[in-house]
Amino acid sequence: MSALVKFRRIVFTRQVLIPVGIVYLFLFLILGPWSPRWASSFSPFTETPKPKGPIRQSTNFRPPPPLQERVPCYGPRGQFLSRSPDDELKEVKLDGVEYPKPFWGSYATINLEQTWMTIDDRYGPYGYGEEDKSYNRSKVDWDTINWGKLQNECFERNRHRFPTSATPFDNTLQMVRLGYRNVTRIPETRQWHEFKNTRRTAIVVRAWRGYDWKAEDLQNLRSLIVETSLRTGGEYQVVLLVDMKDYEPYIFASDENYEKALSELGLPAEFREIAVLWDDRLLESWYPDIAEHRTMWQVYQPVQLFSLHYPEFDHIWQVELDMRFTGDAGKFLDHMSDFARKEPRKQAFERAMFQQMENKIGDYKSFFDAVNRANKGGAYIWGPLRIPDIDPIGPEPPTELAENEDFKWGVGEDADVIVTSVCNNAQKADAWVFKGWIGGFKDGTSTPRFFCPPAITRTSRTLLLAVHEAQLTKGLRAPSEATPSSFALWHGLKLSFPQHPVFWKREHDDETQEGWWKGGPANSTDGVGPNLWEHPRGMGLTFWWESEWPRQIVDAWMGKELAKDVAHPWLVVEKDGKKYVPNMMMHPMKHYH
Ligand SMILES: *[C@@H]1O[C@H](CO)[C@@H](O)[C@H](O)[C@H]1NC(C)=O
Ligand SMILES: *[C@@H]1O[C@H](CO)[C@@H](O)[C@H](O)[C@H]1NC(C)=O
Ligand SMILES: *[C@@H]1O[C@H](CO)[C@@H](O)[C@H](O)[C@H]1NC(C)=O
């Protein structure tokens, strides 16, 4: 008799089976089938009934208390930022100069200051002009700066202001958290209710291997860290998310590989500790059912994985290296999130389908009322936008009909997605290059979906984890610029478009403006955006994916000579021999080639 057969005979005698059964029952009662400990250590028994459907958020959301006053932090000059003039921006009002009027968006709507700065006022603290004799700030030896450490020290000084769930962002080599799915030590999917809020937001700046770092990029990145993280007492944490593409050897195979990859990036030492690397294989390993992982289609995949592995951030701003805040970046982002928090859920999406143009419709109240009239007091989105593939996690609306709700619901609640440009209906957008690109959905291309380009957004952990789960377990996919907005709507999560000021290269250009306006909300049959999708080209906007104007503005601001066929940007105003630009967010500001 072989040993195996002998063993089987022993195991299947009743004397053994009965005690084993008792032990099993005992463990089952103590740990429960829902216990993660049980699930991970007794893998044969993981197929226990799951709770019916996902856990939904409560309808009556209670806003968290405001955070206590911000405690000053040390800046790159080793001084408290509250007492260091050399670190300060000089935002000024210009007497006798009329503030420019946006093409769309509004200073009043997002409560943004109408200030001006010269390029030196703006980037001087971060090293702009430091090689000139006239540089009259104290110089910083940037190579000795560690922005990761400065941010963590700032958070520590402010730790008492945050819930205990908030933790510093330890990004030393020993703490690399991203890794392939087949060796992961964290649950593959996680849901919103597993986490307590930390009141912290990560600002994820996208970079890639081979990026040509210029002085202007470094100054921009420094400004982002000081203004968003250090000046807010750690409410934001700036992280550089670096795409290593197909780098060999595998960066997650060993610490040595990861370190080697990091050192080969050409990334200045000051930013080493804020860099988080990922590569193509990471995405393929987590999302095998999604054939396309390239940035154009799936720019959120690395952000989803970042959120899964770094759940200590309630929200994640995804920003690009070719963005510029011509005013204080931290104040700008605060204004965006404040607006989104105050906005009611009712018609927030419908408002995001139109552009507020002050010269066409007046202030935000008039715009708000016009969208309400176009929707006859109701709403297209009321609770989740139902599709067969998604079990919503967002709350039930407080009334059955939107008509019966008085714009109170959701006020005070942080948005799950803040978009930075107007949203569009994929069904209407015939010329949209990604129109047919959708997969895994039962209704295919008839699935209602909305895109709000560019992929510069703030998304909540709640939303990112939901997208992650849908991609991982069901292979659901929509193109990048439709991902956060559509998933938020399907789940019934809060979406907001704070209408920040955007300018057009010609100061008075009624014809082009009409082309975008299309009669506004009053001319919309369904109240969900203009009837027609077609619009003029956006090459001369300050915030538009294909625009060339931001580069020209910055060049003129720096006093560079512009090409002969390029008109002087009217936004750059000269006073007392200095060049000023207004306060705004610009994208994209391309490098020279
Ligand atoms: C430093 O230089 C700037 C730009 O040249 C100038 O506007 C400013 O007044 C100077 N500050 C001092 C303290 O000299
Ligand atoms: C895990 O996946 C990676 C990437 O697909 C692969 O290179 C590696 O061999 C796998 N490791 C194990 C333990 O299966
Ligand atoms: C109103 O919308 C229609 C399409 O439904 C369009 O043809 C017309 O030009 C719009 N009116 C204005 C003033 O833009």
Side-chain angles (χ1 to χ4, degrees):
M1 209 189 293
S2 78
L4 183 67
V5 172
K6 218 190 263 175
F7 178 71
R8 274 204 193 130
R9 190 175 285 175
I10 295 171
V11 169
F12 287 101
T13 55
R14 274 197 302 188
Q15 292 94 315
V16 175
L17 269 183
I18 290 167
V20 164
I22 289 170
V23 169
Y24 172 24
L25 192 68
F26 176 75
L27 284 174
F28 185 87
L29 289 177
I30 297 222
L31 294 168
W34 45 85
S35 158
R37 204 137 61 95
W38 174 270
S40 57
S41 49
F42 295 85
S43 52
F45 303 118
T46 50
E47 270 157 44
T48 46
K50 283 201 168 173
K52 277 195 205 82
I55 297 182
R56 292 188 67 166
Q57 297 177 331
S58 127
T59 302
N60 302 310
F61 171 83
R62 285 216 320 277
L67 294 177
Q68 286 174 45
E69 208 184 323
R70 293 166 174 175
V71 175
C73 292
Y74 285 101
R77 289 177 171 79
Q79 317 258 332
F80 276 132
L81 288 171
S82 54
R83 283 188 245 134
S84 174
D86 284 0
D87 284 306
E88 253 160 47
L89 300 181
K90 292 189 199 113
E91 296 169 285
V92 296
K93 305 262 176 188
L94 292 182
D95 285 341
V97 180
E98 204 190 333
Y99 212 74
K101 303 232 173 346
F103 195 61
W104 63 63
S106 152
Y107 284 86
T109 297
I110 66 162
N111 195 24
L112 188 68
E113 299 82 1
Q114 296 197 333
T115 50
W116 301 88
M117 274 196 278
T118 66
I119 187 101
D120 177 73
D121 293 344
R122 171 74 190 96
Y123 291 113
Y126 312 111
Y128 179 83
E130 64 189 351
E131 59 294 317
D132 293 348
K133 274 201 217 75
S134 62
Y135 190 74
N136 55 10
R137 294 180 171 84
S138 60
K139 280 199 190 173
V140 178
D141 182 0
W142 298 109
D143 280 342
T144 64
I145 302 294
N146 175 347
W147 291 108
K149 190 156 168 272
L150 275 178
Q151 292 192 77
N152 278 343
E153 284 168 2
C154 182
F155 170 70
E156 291 294 354
R157 295 180 65 80
N158 283 269
R159 199 163 188 157
H160 60 281
R161 301 168 51 225
F162 294 93
T164 49
S165 45
T167 51
F169 179 67
D170 189 344
N171 192 38
T172 49
L173 263 184
Q174 298 74 41
M175 292 301 293
V176 172
R177 283 196 232 167
L178 292 181
Y180 295 129
R181 182 173 166 189
N182 56 7
V183 291
T184 189
R185 280 165 304 192
I186 60 162
E188 289 194 345
T189 60
R190 299 170 125 175
Q191 279 86 31
W192 69 274
H193 53 84
E194 296 171 39
F195 299 98
K196 289 204 173 74
N197 282 350
T198 62
R199 316 293 298 275
R200 298 196 81 209
T201 296
I203 298 183
V204 160
V205 185
R206 308 288 303 243
W208 54 91
R209 178 164 67 92
Y211 188 83
D212 182 15
W213 294 94
K214 307 261 196 221
E216 63 187 20
D217 297 311
L218 311 184
Q219 292 153 11
N220 176 43
L221 202 47
R222 291 168 192 152
S223 76
L224 205 56
I225 298 171
V226 171
E227 290 153 22
T228 64
S229 174
L230 304 185
R231 286 196 186 277
T232 65
E235 288 169 34
Y236 298 89
Q237 178 94 22
V238 177
V239 175
L240 201 57
L241 196 58
V242 188
D243 179 358
M244 295 307 291
K245 303 182 179 175
D246 54 359
Y247 182 87
E248 296 282 354
Y250 291 176
I251 56 173
F252 298 114
S254 69
D255 286 354
E256 291 72 45
N257 288 4
Y258 191 92
E259 190 169 9
K260 183 165 170 286
L262 191 58
S263 68
E264 285 175 7
L265 270 180
L267 186 67
E270 57 185 300
F271 301 114
R272 262 316 155 72
E273 217 174 286
I274 69 164
V276 170
L277 312 185
W278 59 279
D279 69 2
D280 293 347
R281 289 175 216 97
L282 181 78
L283 306 187
E284 288 156 14
S285 129
W286 281 90
Y287 303 115
D289 294 342
I290 297 182
E292 188 58 78
H293 302 99
R294 280 175 294 170
T295 301
M296 279 260 280
W297 291 267
Q298 289 299 322
V299 75
Y300 285 96
Q301 284 186 349
V303 184
Q304 291 152 210
L305 291 176
F306 180 84
S307 185
L308 182 75
H309 291 81
Y310 296 88
E312 61 263 45
F313 298 108
D314 291 348
H315 301 276
I316 298 182
W317 265 109
Q318 163 158 276
V319 309
E320 303 280 351
L321 279 165
D322 61 4
M323 276 172 77
R324 290 296 180 275
F325 296 90
T326 58
D328 184 309
K331 287 188 200 162
F332 191 98
L333 294 182
D334 278 351
H335 288 305
M336 295 288 277
S337 64
D338 287 349
F339 173 92
R341 189 179 305 117
K342 286 180 191 145
E343 193 177 28
R345 276 177 174 258
K346 178 168 164 181
Q347 294 168 2
F349 163 72
E350 291 77 359
R351 287 187 292 277
M353 294 291 292
F354 295 98
Q355 285 149 326
Q356 182 199 349
M357 295 184 182
E358 286 177 314
N359 59 338
K360 298 264 176 227
I361 200 160
D363 65 8
Y364 188 67
K365 171 85 173 59
S366 313
F367 173 73
F368 190 102
D369 292 345
V371 175
N372 188 32
R373 276 193 301 277
N375 282 277
K376 303 185 177 65
Y380 172 76
I381 294 284
W382 192 237
L385 172 60
R386 293 285 182 172
I387 61 166
D389 320 271
I390 297 280
D391 281 329
I393 54 175
E396 295 277 2
T399 58
E400 197 183 326
L401 296 175
E403 284 81 345
N404 300 334
E405 203 270 338
D406 195 19
F407 296 100
K408 300 273 187 320
W409 188 39
V411 173
E413 193 178 344
D414 276 321
D416 286 284
V417 55
I418 296 180
V419 299
T420 51
S421 221
V422 70
C423 295
N424 308 266
N425 185 345
Q427 311 289 8
K428 285 187 193 175
D430 289 327
W432 183 42
V433 286
F434 301 110
K435 188 174 160 88
W437 200 86
I438 180 168
F441 292 88
K442 294 200 179 79
D443 294 342
T445 49
S446 329
T447 308
R449 60 209 190 281
F450 296 85
F451 61 103
C452 322
I456 295 168
T457 56
R458 194 192 74 177
T459 43
S460 66
R461 174 180 53 231
T462 300
L463 176 59
L464 289 167
L465 293 180
V467 178
H468 165 78
E469 184 167 0
Q471 292 208 339
L472 184 142
T473 63
K474 298 181 184 163
L476 299 183
R477 56 199 178 274
S480 298
E481 55 197 41
T483 294
S485 40
S486 300
F487 275 91
L489 297 173
W490 296 328
H491 276 289
L493 296 172
K494 187 175 173 184
L495 175 147
S496 177
F497 170 33
Q499 307 244 357
H500 61 98
V502 174
F503 297 88
W504 174 241
K505 64 181 173 186
R506 281 188 295 278
E507 188 173 1
H508 305 287
D509 185 352
D510 223 40
E511 199 187 322
T512 308
Q513 204 183 19
E514 284 291 339
W516 289 93
W517 178 243
K518 294 170 248 186
N523 194 31
S524 164
T525 324
D526 57 7
V528 192
N531 295 343
L532 302 173
W533 177 67
E534 284 66 29
H535 55 73
R537 298 289 299 266
M539 311 282 275
L541 288 162
T542 49
F543 196 86
W544 191 256
W545 63 276
E546 62 179 347
S547 186
E548 295 162 345
W549 206 37
R551 176 79 256 177
Q552 296 164 9
I553 291 172
V554 172
D555 284 348
W557 199 18
M558 293 194 289
K560 285 194 180 163
E561 204 172 316
L562 301 175
K564 285 213 174 54
D565 56 341
V566 172
H568 175 78
W570 67 275
L571 282 184
V572 182
V573 165
E574 204 158 324
K575 186 151 202 278
D576 304 328
K578 292 178 178 172
K579 297 186 172 67
Y580 293 88
V581 300
N583 187 5
M584 62 187 155
M585 173 167 69
M586 294 204 296
H587 170 77
M589 217 278 299
K590 293 292 182 206
H591 277 170
Y592 297 104
H593 292 291

